[in-house]
Amino acid sequence: MTSSALRGTPLIERYREFLPMTDDTPVISMGEGATQLVRLDKLSECLELDVHVKLERLNPTGSIKDRGMCFAMSKAVEQGATAVICASTGNTSAAAAAYAARAGLTCAVIIPGGKIALGKLAQALIYGAKVLAVDGNFDDALRIVRELSENHPIALVNSLNPFRLEGQKTAAFEVCDALGDAPDVLCIPVGTAGNIAADGMGFGEYREAGRSSRLPRMMGFQAEGSAPLVRGEVVTSPETIATAIRIGNPVRGEQAMAAMTDSGGGVDSVTDEEILAAYRMLASSEGVFCEPSSASSVAGLIKAHAAGRFTTGERVVCVLTGNGLKDPDTAIAQSGGVIEIPADYDAAEKALYGD
Ligand code: F0G
């Protein structure tokens, strides 16, 4: 079946047998998952690898977060919740707000003030969430959200919520289904480390069920200024242009480290310069526009390749977690400027072809 045909079946129905669904679990869905894998021909040739990207921007709110959110929201409704809350660097808030709107729940989100991409903020607001911006970072926001959810009848839908991981692991299933087996290597950005932990679960469960024959080496990449797992300690003031992964205390860190090391992969960091170089290259050379955080998976692949961590011909999947359109400011800042001309033919010809 094609991706678009698959998208007609709710994600959590498609993988029902792998999820803790009950007869009472409603299916809150709007066509998430079934995202396309696209081969990067130029990069594959350049690195002598078989490189694919998984385009998670094709999810309803434009990021990978919809996978976990559709299931977390379905379970929240099953458990009788009327309100949900999350801390977010942007994408989770967009997903929570959208799925809450669809399910008829109220939604509150707490974001790091001034540090989320414009498109994500616009999404949370228009979907009707109550948006609080803290004078602090994601880790501060999460601390507050955890306390609020303990003191009030409001369901936490961050990746601390186990149902988020259950939904997110479907990305691993889809990679195996699309390729016929698990790839040699999976590269993915790491923030809270929920995604990579979920992928570890997904690849493991699929192999156990005989749906794939092996586990990929899982390589996670943090931004250098926000790399607690690489440094082995909490980063109190995380910094990076990749605001989605500007996180100093990953709540799923332990589980993620186990998944990465057990699989023969590992965690590393990439600089903002490396992230932006990959971000520009993906758009201008491969026609793939993702957000900066997502490009850290490809930046990491390039770095790991230079360090000799691949065998020629290996199949690699990089997860491009979010849509480039969410962060127009970075795209414009990273591009050549607009050339302004008067409204006449000669000026246009001169600008394009010179005198
Ligand atoms: N890529 C994007 C685009 C993200 O938004 C995130 C996380 C990640 C990668 C990392 O995933 O946290 O599971 O390790 N965004 C969260 C949010 C933190 O609030 O939207 P992770």
Side-chain angles (χ1 to χ4, degrees), residues 118-291:
L118 198 62
K120 303 174 188 177
L121 181 60
Q123 287 181 290
L125 290 168
I126 197 71
Y127 290 133
K130 189 162 276 184
V131 179
L132 310 184
V134 290
D135 179 15
N137 59 37
F138 171 86
D139 305 295
D140 297 315
L142 185 59
R143 174 175 42 82
I144 297 167
V145 158
R146 286 174 88 157
E147 210 173 323
L148 281 167
S149 71
E150 278 158 21
N151 293 334
H152 296 274
I154 189 164
L156 180 88
V157 291
N158 278 105
S159 57
L160 278 164
N161 178 328
F163 300 126
R164 280 281 312 282
L165 265 62
E166 293 289 338
Q168 277 164 221
K169 74 186 180 188
T170 58
F173 299 161
E174 287 183 6
V175 167
C176 296
D177 288 344
L179 297 174
D181 203 347
D184 296 300
V185 178
L186 183 88
C187 296
I188 186 163
V190 173
T192 66
N195 271 313
I196 192 157
D199 285 333
M201 290 161 53
F203 284 116
E205 289 173 23
Y206 236 39
R207 189 184 60 168
E208 228 162 83
R211 303 273 281 263
S212 64
S213 73
R214 57 186 179 171
L215 299 178
R217 303 199 299 283
M218 295 211 300
M219 297 186 179
F221 297 98
Q222 302 190 298
E224 194 176 75
S226 308
L229 296 181
V230 180
R231 289 165 57 165
E233 60 186 10
V234 169
V235 174
T236 46
S237 300
E239 270 315 331
T240 171
I241 183 126
T243 53
I245 53 171
R246 187 173 165 270
I247 291 171
N249 190 8
V251 292
R252 293 285 180 179
E254 231 167 87
Q255 196 177 341
M257 284 306 291
M260 288 186 277
T261 41
D262 291 354
S263 72
V267 69
D268 200 358
S269 63
V270 281
T271 64
D272 279 4
E273 291 68 33
E274 289 167 331
I275 291 171
L276 291 173
Y279 170 74
R280 289 188 305 262
M281 178 278 289
L282 280 166
S284 64
S285 155
E286 304 277 3
V288 173
F289 183 27
C290 62
E291 60 175 286

Side-chain angles (χ1 to χ4, degrees), residues 65 88-92 189-195 244-245 247 291 294 321-322:
K65 303 295 172 182
S88 181
T89 55
N91 282 320
T92 299
V190 173
T192 66
N195 271 313
I245 53 171
I247 291 171
E291 60 175 286
S294 308
T321 45

Side-chain angles (χ1 to χ4, degrees), residues 19-53:
L19 296 169
M21 303 273 283
T22 73
D23 291 344
D24 297 327
T25 314
V27 176
I28 314 283
S29 169
M30 42 184 169
E32 54 291 317
T35 60
Q36 222 145 338
L37 273 184
V38 172
R39 188 171 188 275
L40 299 184
D41 291 336
K42 293 184 186 123
L43 190 64
S44 294
E45 193 180 333
C46 173
L47 302 182
E48 297 185 327
L49 295 171
D50 181 25
V51 183
H52 299 251
V53 285

